[in-house]
Structures are given as C-alpha cells and as structure tokens.
Amino acid sequence: MRGLIEGETLIAYFTFIMDGGGKGTSAALVKDGITYVSASHWEAAGLKIVWDKSHQRAEFTGWGKK
C-alpha cells in the first residue's frame, strides 16, 4: 500500500449507529486529514442545518447543542 500524496483524495466508508436502533454505512471522502460526509446523514439524525451564503460551511443545531 502506498502513502497518500498531499492533496490527494481517498474514498472511505463510515458506519453510523442511531440511538433509536438504526445503523447504516455510507461513503466519505478524506482529503488532507479532513473527512467529508453528506450533510443529509445529520439531517436524518434530527439536526438542523443552516448554510452560509457561499454554501461552503454549515452550522448544525439540535440535541440541545450547537
């Protein structure tokens, strides 16, 4: 297995488990040590998402936290 080149994107998978008993696996991207996943997973988990004007950053609120 070779190492990643700086700036290279790696496709990965993550598993999430819901408190109510649901479980799923989905794709994620890893780039420069940051993992990116679809915001729809967090919406389904009950979090509210508000995007900034450029649609580059999201703020998640819910579960009594921000």
Side-chain angles (χ1 to χ4, degrees), residues 30-53:
V30 179
K31 184 173 182 177
D32 296 330
I34 299 172
T35 303
Y36 298 89
V37 300
S38 172
S40 65
H41 295 297
W42 313 127
E43 288 177 309
L47 295 176
K48 179 182 175 191
I49 302 171
V50 177
W51 290 94
D52 68 0
K53 288 182 182 180

Side-chain angles (χ1 to χ4, degrees), residues 10-18 22-30 35-44:
L10 172 70
I11 297 174
Y13 295 90
F14 73 102
T15 299
F16 53 96
I17 300 169
M18 304 296 289
K23 178 180 175 181
T25 300
S26 187
L29 297 176
V30 179
T35 303
Y36 298 89
V37 300
S38 172
S40 65
H41 295 297
W42 313 127
E43 288 177 309

